[in-house]
Amino acid sequence: MTIFLKKLIGVSFAFAILTSCSNPDEGKSTKSQKDSRVDSLLALMTLEEKIGQLNQYSLGSEFTGSSNKNGQDSVRYQQLISGQVGSVLNLLGAEDTRKMQELVVEKSRLGIPLLFAYDVIHGYQTMFPVPLAESSSWNLELMQKTAQAAGAEAAASGLHWTFAPMIDVTVDARWGRVMEGAGEDPYLQAEIAKARINGFQGEDLAHNKSIAATAKHFAGYGYAESGKDYNSVNINQYILHNHILPPFKAAVEANAASFMNAFNDINAVPATANEYLLQDILRDKWNYDGVVVSDWNSIGELVNHGVSPDLKDAAKKAIMAGSEIDMEATAYVQFLAELINEGEIEEAKIDIAVRNVLQLKFDLGLFDDPYKYSDLDREKEIVGNQIHHDLAEKIAKESIVLLKNDKNLLPLKNIKNIAVIGPLAKDKDTPLGNWRAQAIENSAVSLYEGLENVLPKSTNLKYAQGVELSVGPNNFFQEQEINKEDRSGFEKAKNLAKNSDLVIMALGETAYMSGEGRSRADIGLPGLQKELLKEIHAINPNIILVLMNGRPLELSWEDENIPAIVEAWHLGQRAGTAIAETLIGKNNSSGKLTMSFPRHVGQLPIYYNHKVTGRPSTAPGQVFYSHHTDVDNSPLYPFGYGLSYSSFEYGEIELSDNSMTESGSIEASVSVKNTSDMDGQEVVQLYIQDLVAEETPMVKSLKAFKKIMIKSGQSVEVKFTIEKDMLSYYKSNGEISLEKGGFKVFIGKNSAVNNHKEFVLK
Ligand code: NOJ
């Protein structure tokens, strides 16, 4: 039994509240047991204490005495010790979290423990590939493991709660935050959401290696107009229900402990004050019983959005809609009590939200032991350990996407003189990516280091940076950018290229060129890189282009001129090892894109599962059909695309039947043969097209996939079961619709597949 509630409410009552969780195994107690404990506690709380549970601050160690600053005279300190703060973000480390927990548990009247939250997006200290990169692995098991490892590191550092995964479907590569999610497809995004949530949360939230996950940003944030961060979202209901919401529904089914709302307005209503989303869909339709946190000051931003005249009105709108925890706007702590006293909102509304917060604290076992996560020994043992670094290497290898490989230039074969050129070749920081939590700066294995380690000593490896990394004049955070003016490094790079058999060029975006607030209008290679690439190409066209970036890039010139292109994203801790081993063929690439790469930025937004339109593209020479006159309709590299050193041949699709009923199913199978002399993994993808529907259908949608290893020369029969769930869609009114009629099933290596068969739902 814990002492903190005892001191105030008496032994017998505290025992009644807490006894059901005094044994760690009973973290799995039933919902009704937990609910009764929550209600007992709620009954003891004053209105101010309740509102405190809904107040979240970003606090540093100034309150715990371990930094020089002293926050103890501040308003926030007083609020902390009087139970007016329920959760804290950005405070880290076993030591500091323990101290702050002590402060609150010891000094506040009820001693209700705090929740410590943080953005653990793709690792805590050990950096895994950025989420978009990881999604290219299509390996759900590995993604679950990286989330689990990230969660274990965070938990050992005193954290209870991550603001991840971001499960916003994203169709516009100009938006910087595409790096944080799993790309453009709702089905894949949903599968990955479940894997990541399961990874973070484990089987039991009360386990001290599990942390609570957050499904974010609810909803529509990925559809910011023109890819400009925080911009308005104007989408129709079909897009909302069929593209945006399915991953969130999957998150509810996976028991995500929390949801975070979004900054954007969606069809003229800010997500933070959106009753339709937060109440009608999330609570009423999906029966979600976790907690909803606002995004950073998104309640305050209701004033900027122009729907609230002041913060008090914003507080009212947000709580009424269902935003339960106020992150950093101070709207609730300032105004909720007043609003209740004035009869503007009912206390019962607050109680619902407080219950959800307390429930999470019970679920995490914090009433059993508020300090269980803050353990210095475990922190030393778990954070950044070797096992996690090895895992980072493993998934990095599966996340690399081979975009082009003319004449099998790759894998490298007995090459004597290699020039390694480019601003990212020796960069140990870029591979760590944006949203890097507690990553140690410059701690990634660089590409150059990776090559040095794997190439035989007989290879002559030389390096020139070509273009420098620098900090631009308007760079608020002083982050490295790619130089836009200084060509002084070109000469050395060109000389090197001239005297080498092969050039490996490492180009792309530095870590902070994608991510929040990093939308770009031009998504070509930034700075002087393209110019350098062209000049090197003129001297020695035997180039392997290794790209490091957090979003799809526009690569039309590169695709036309460079013989081999490797998409290596921001791959995390062991990036250099993973890339080098792929270049020499020790690792066979198996990644496939989860976002389309455009031919031209003017094609954006571009995604494979678009509508057919009334004028679909037809024969050449036509004018009056849906197209741009100056660029082909297709993307440069489609969703699902990626090459391998192996070659795979698909046979014809065989269907067990050419019709099915609602209660029946059809088995679709295809033989996939590895016709090369190298073992390799292939992601076999199944898409379905509804041929005629009451609402205009999409050209095709991913419904299933399998990542399988096929040995050299072997043929594998890959089978899928088509069931009614794969044939339905959401109508604009949000209702699911299963309509009789014809369907096409496609099975192949990417979304541009044409190998198909038809069947009928009777
Ligand atoms: C703003 C971001 O939109 C959100 O994703 C993040 O979790 C919060 N800041 C907290 O850092």
Side-chain angles (χ1 to χ4, degrees), residues 237 241 276 285 695 729-737:
Q237 292 297 98
H241 292 291
Y276 174 64
K285 193 168 174 190
E695 295 196 7
Y729 69 99
Y730 289 97
K731 294 180 94 167
S732 296
N733 62 9
E735 296 304 320
I736 199 127
S737 190

Side-chain angles (χ1 to χ4, degrees), residues 704-716:
F705 65 88
K706 284 187 180 161
K707 184 165 188 174
I708 44 169
M709 167 61 84
I710 310 181
K711 296 237 175 265
S712 154
Q714 256 186 19
S715 235
V716 172

Side-chain angles (χ1 to χ4, degrees), residues 56 89-90 118-119 121 162-164 166 177 180 214 216-217 221 229-230 260-263 294-297 327 435 516:
Q56 180 175 99
L89 79 146
N90 295 334
Y118 194 45
D119 290 282
I121 306 295
T162 176
F163 296 139
M166 187 190 95
R177 297 192 82 166
E180 258 184 90
T214 307
K216 73 183 188 186
H217 305 82
Y221 190 32
D229 210 354
Y230 318 121
M260 182 186 286
N261 66 29
F263 286 128
S294 81
D295 202 344
W296 181 284
N297 188 38
M327 184 198 291
W435 278 117
E516 186 178 350

Side-chain angles (χ1 to χ4, degrees), residues 337-389:
E338 211 172 297
L339 285 160
I340 290 170
N341 291 334
E342 289 166 2
E344 290 286 323
I345 44 182
E346 289 181 0
E347 191 166 339
K349 187 81 195 167
I350 310 289
D351 287 350
I352 295 173
V354 177
R355 265 198 198 93
N356 289 338
V357 177
L358 295 178
Q359 183 76 61
L360 180 55
K361 293 183 178 185
F362 274 110
D363 290 347
L364 285 159
L366 295 178
F367 286 101
D368 186 44
D369 177 1
Y371 309 113
K372 62 191 272 196
Y373 288 79
S374 306
D375 179 331
L376 282 168
D377 291 337
R378 276 195 324 117
E379 186 175 40
K380 274 201 205 93
E381 182 198 321
I382 293 180
V383 173
N385 72 25
Q386 215 47 40
I387 300 171
H388 293 173
H389 278 233

